[in-house]
Amino acid sequence: MARNTFDQDETLEQGFNMYHVRRLYDYMRPYLKPIIWCMFLMVISSLLGLLGPYIIKIALDDLIPAKDLTGLCIATIAFILSLIGISWIMKNRLITMGRVGQDILIDMRHDLFVNLQKLPFTYYDNRPHGKILVRVVNYINSLSDLLSNGFVNLVADIFSIILTMVFMFVLDTRLALVSLIGVPILMSIMYPLKALQRKAHQKLSTKQSNMNAYVSESINGMRVTQAFAHEEESMRVNEHVCEEYSNAWLGAVKLNFLVWPIMDNVATLTVALVYFSAVFIFVDDISVGLLVAFVAYVWRFWGPITNLGNFYNTIINAMANLERIFELMDEKPTVHDCDDATELPKIEGHVEFEDVKFAYEEDEMILKGISFEAKPGERVAIVGPTGSGKTTIINLISRFYNINDGRILIDGHDISKVTLTSLRGQMGIMMQDSFIFSGTIMENIRYGRLDATDEEVIEAAKVVKAHDFIMTFENGYETVVNERGDRLSVGQRQLISFARALLANPKILILDEATSSIDSQTEVLLQQGLDELLKGRTSFVIAHRLSTIKNSDKIIYIQDGQILEMGTHDELIAKGGGYCHLYTTQYELLRA
């Protein structure tokens, strides 16, 4: 997927090819038994449908002239039974293929979601989330009709065309040849439309992606929009995005609507040629029953061809979306277990950075040779100006990104050579953005360790001083909170996230601005609990309020991606360098 914003069109790195069809077939393979059964039923349905015109021919040419009432009754009953058989087959086909189609969509959506779980932070950092969401939901849903009806009907229609041609040639070879004149005419018209339709549906999927991305972004940023009274501007942009989608949709639909009239006109022309040939050329040996039956077969011949035209429209639309789906599915995780990765054993928390270099973009190095050591149980604070690389360092400890050079060791193990699960499973992380899932407060805290008891959850909440405010809610820990915890204050969300991280009982604890939204009084209470909790754990703390890190065992002052100073608070104050200046400036501001 191209890196862009909601108003930039995506471009496919590769066009559609038969490989996509083969991959779609791989998803259909586990369900071949019911699919083949439905195809067999549709073939029987086509055969039953073709009996109707032949029964009419017999009635008109033989039974009615002979006044054979018994034969007419038998023919009528046979005709009715064929209709009942067709109805029964259609009912069972719809039920079976509807279930099969949805099962295939579940499998595809699952594979997409699994791959999304593996993709690194860099993937989400550079892409509108709405453009990712549209692939998992809208584009997958667009395949429903293709999988539930398209392929089964395709086989049935092809068989019906072949069988109808057999019936026509059996009835009259001359008229059968006349009825085929329209086929090359149709192909010469339809082939040029193929490229135009594909481009139109690719553009449609792109504009739909843009619209979805903007709606998602607008919902997430609604508080900011209303706070700055920018609703009119937001609506103007939305109108523009929707208009572009509407124009793309109209362009695709116009091309789709060309298919049916073209096929209908060619079919009508063919029927007219058959009538003309029967009445003016082959009139001497063409009976009324034969003509009526043959014209019915001609319409039945062009009916499946029209269905194939509709299927063509469906597959053009589906394949335009399928290209996007497989593009996301093929996105390779850049952070993954190496081939010979081993399980990281139970750690003590000894962390070493050895000349680590890192860049989000190749031409802009963020960390320029970082080296330090954190011994088990040490509390390490990382401070420095905004954009100096503090958060990047703690993200690298959890290996959310791959480093460009150097090594990061935990208890002597290179973290690039151990499994991600065994690495991250021994860490507790509280990011600056405290994300709250929809559900109860109890469930949100238990996310840190899914097998934790209620008592353990409550104890963790008490340690971080979240228990008291939780109990002020009517349902306490069973209080339901919305996505992102909208009914909670920012400070309350941070405390819940803190309890979640602490519940994991990690050997390495990472706190990125963990107390930035907590008032000073609450912070004092929280610090009391943390002093006990952090004993025996290696912790990395980033905090702009330097008063919270004075008691750290080691303070690392970083600027422009380099460590300029390292030591205790007293040592760095005595040096009078960058940390001292930062601390003194903040202290003076607080006094003022």
Side-chain angles (χ1 to χ4, degrees):
M1 192 189 307
R3 298 183 179 184
N4 53 31
T5 58
F6 75 86
D7 57 345
Q8 290 180 311
D9 294 340
E10 299 168 287
T11 57
L12 283 170
E13 296 182 1
Q14 60 177 355
F16 170 76
N17 53 58
M18 288 304 296
Y19 176 63
H20 294 113
V21 178
R22 290 196 296 271
R23 290 184 66 176
L24 185 60
Y25 172 74
D26 288 339
Y27 282 99
M28 299 172 64
R29 193 196 305 273
Y31 307 96
L32 280 183
K33 186 175 180 179
I35 292 174
I36 292 174
W37 169 245
C38 286
M39 288 180 177
F40 173 75
L41 290 179
M42 290 301 293
V43 168
I44 299 300
S45 176
S46 299
L47 184 59
L48 292 175
L50 291 172
L51 291 177
Y54 192 76
I55 293 173
I56 293 174
K57 174 190 177 302
I58 294 174
L60 291 175
D61 287 348
D62 301 324
L63 300 178
I64 293 177
K67 298 182 180 180
D68 185 353
L69 293 179
T70 302
L72 280 174
C73 289
I74 294 174
T76 302
I77 293 172
F79 189 79
I80 293 174
L81 288 176
S82 69
L83 295 179
I84 293 174
I86 292 172
S87 299
W88 181 86
I89 288 173
M90 293 300 293
K91 173 188 174 183
N92 282 273
R93 193 268 298 175
L94 288 173
I95 294 174
T96 302
M97 286 309 301
R99 182 172 58 250
V100 167
Q102 289 305 308
D103 287 343
I104 295 173
L105 295 186
I106 290 174
D107 293 342
M108 295 184 70
R109 190 174 284 116
H110 172 75
D111 287 350
L112 265 182
F113 193 77
V114 167
N115 198 48
L116 286 174
Q117 304 300 303
K118 299 177 181 177
L119 296 178
F121 282 8
T122 50
Y123 184 83
Y124 300 98
D125 290 343
N126 298 289
R127 290 161 176 84
H129 293 174
K131 292 193 177 187
I132 300 173
L133 184 63
V134 75
R135 284 160 166 75
V136 182
V137 181
N138 301 63
Y139 290 176
I140 291 287
N141 288 341
S142 72
L143 302 177
S144 177
D145 188 57
L146 177 67
L147 295 172
S148 299
N149 302 303
F151 288 114
V152 171
N153 289 345
L154 173 65
V155 173
D157 288 334
I158 291 175
F159 180 83
S160 180
I161 291 171
I162 295 172
L163 201 58
T164 303
M165 289 177 61
V166 172
F167 271 74
M168 289 193 298
F169 274 98
V170 168
L171 287 177
D172 193 287
T173 303
R174 299 165 301 174
L175 293 179
L177 292 173
V178 171
S179 66
L180 296 178
I181 292 176
V183 175
I185 297 175
L186 179 65
M187 293 180 64
S188 65
I189 297 173
M190 292 298 299
Y191 187 77
L193 283 177
K194 177 182 177 182
L196 294 176
Q197 284 185 297
R198 180 171 179 269
K199 289 181 180 179
H201 281 283
Q202 282 183 342
K203 181 178 180 181
L204 177 61
S205 66
T206 294
K207 297 305 180 183
Q208 183 184 24
S209 180
N210 291 353
M211 181 175 67
N212 200 80
Y214 183 70
V215 171
S216 176
E217 180 179 304
S218 298
I219 292 173
N220 290 331
M222 189 60 67
R223 292 180 183 274
V224 178
T225 299
Q226 294 185 4
F228 286 89
H230 284 175
E231 293 90 344
E232 291 293 333
E233 172 66 14
S234 181
M235 287 186 285
R236 185 189 64 77
V237 176
N238 181 68
E239 183 178 359
H240 174 69
V241 172
C242 290
E243 185 177 354
E244 285 194 329
Y245 170 76
S246 179
N247 291 337
W249 182 85
L250 288 173
V253 167
K254 285 178 182 177
L255 290 174
N256 286 352
F257 283 172
L258 283 177
V259 174
W260 180 82
I262 290 172
M263 304 190 87
D264 192 54
N265 287 331
V266 173
T268 303
L269 174 63
T270 303
V271 172
L273 289 174
V274 170
Y275 270 117
F276 179 83
S277 300
V279 174
F280 295 102
I281 301 177
F282 312 126
V283 63
D284 294 335
D285 52 354
I286 298 293
S287 66
V288 174
L290 174 62
L291 180 58
V292 171
F294 200 91
V295 170
Y297 281 127
V298 172
W299 282 116
R300 287 182 179 273
F301 173 76
W302 282 100
I305 291 181
T306 301
N307 292 339
L308 291 178
N310 293 331
F311 174 77
Y312 176 75
N313 284 337
T314 301
I315 201 168
I316 285 293
N317 181 33
M319 290 307 169
N321 293 334
L322 199 62
E323 293 166 359
R324 306 285 186 183
I325 292 170
F326 285 141
E327 184 184 46
L328 173 55
M329 204 174 288
D330 291 338
E331 191 76 33
K332 301 298 182 184
T334 55
V335 179
H336 55 81
D337 295 340
C338 62
D339 294 336
D340 57 347
T342 59
E343 293 288 319
L344 180 65
K346 189 174 181 180
I347 62 174
E348 295 297 324
H350 186 194
V351 179
E352 298 174 87
F353 271 56
E354 295 181 352
D355 196 27
V356 173
K357 298 176 182 178
F358 173 78
Y360 294 104
E361 302 292 340
E362 292 184 4
D363 57 346
E364 187 177 351
M365 196 64 65
I366 303 299
L367 300 182
K368 306 169 184 177
I370 298 294
S371 297
F372 67 85
E373 178 183 7
K375 296 179 181 179
E378 278 192 337
R379 186 185 308 186
V380 179
I382 305 175
V383 300
T386 301
S388 58
K390 303 184 298 295
T391 298
T392 300
I393 290 177
I394 63 172
N395 281 336
L396 295 181
I397 297 174
S398 303
R399 204 183 160 210
F400 290 137
Y401 303 90
N402 287 325
I403 61 176
N404 295 73
D405 197 11
R407 291 198 309 169
I408 300 176
L409 306 174
I410 294 182
D411 288 3
H413 298 276
D414 188 336
I415 65 171
S416 66
K417 300 185 184 302
V418 300
T419 62
L420 292 173
T421 302
S422 64
L423 171 67
R424 296 172 184 171
Q426 302 190 61
M427 294 186 181
I429 303 173
M430 182 176 174
M431 311 298 287
Q432 189 171 353
D433 180 17
S434 304
F435 190 89
I436 300 296
F437 296 93
S438 57
T440 66
I441 293 177
M442 177 74 74
E443 291 169 342
N444 267 279
I445 297 177
R446 186 177 279 123
Y447 197 83
R449 181 159 55 88
L450 297 179
D451 60 350
T453 64
D454 290 354
E455 290 74 18
E456 289 173 322
V457 170
I458 294 172
E459 182 60 30
K462 287 180 177 179
V463 170
V464 300
K465 310 306 178 184
H467 177 76
D468 291 343
F469 87 79
I470 292 175
M471 295 308 297
T472 62
F473 293 119
E474 181 179 353
N475 297 317
Y477 284 86
E478 297 303 318
T479 300
V480 177
V481 292
N482 299 327
E483 180 183 352
R484 305 192 69 86
D486 287 343
R487 66 179 296 183
L488 302 172
S489 70
V490 176
Q492 289 172 338
R493 291 201 297 270
Q494 283 193 310
L495 288 175
I496 290 175
S497 297
F498 213 104
R500 175 198 298 162
L502 301 183
L503 185 63
N505 193 27
K507 275 295 183 179
I508 297 177
L509 190 61
I510 296 174
L511 312 176
D512 185 359
E513 292 296 339
T515 61
S516 61
S517 299
I518 299 175
D519 60 81
S520 300
Q521 183 178 359
T522 303
E523 185 181 353
V524 171
L525 296 174
L526 176 62
Q527 198 66 46
Q528 295 172 1
L530 286 180
D531 288 339
E532 290 298 321
L533 184 68
L534 294 181
K535 289 181 179 178
R537 291 182 173 86
T538 306
S539 60
F540 294 87
V541 182
I542 294 177
H544 280 107
R545 282 189 285 191
L546 302 184
S547 58
T548 64
I549 60 166
K550 287 176 59 177
N551 297 327
S552 298
D553 299 301
K554 183 180 296 180
I555 298 175
I556 299 174
Y557 180 78
I558 183 172
Q559 184 173 329
D560 296 328
Q562 295 177 307
I563 295 178
L564 300 187
E565 299 173 5
M566 188 172 2
T568 64
H569 172 77
D570 293 337
E571 290 172 347
L572 296 184
I573 291 295
K575 287 180 67 174
Y579 175 79
C580 178
H581 174 73
L582 194 65
Y583 182 82
T584 303
T585 302
Q586 190 173 111
Y587 180 73
E588 291 176 350
L589 287 174
L590 290 174
R591 289 185 62 186

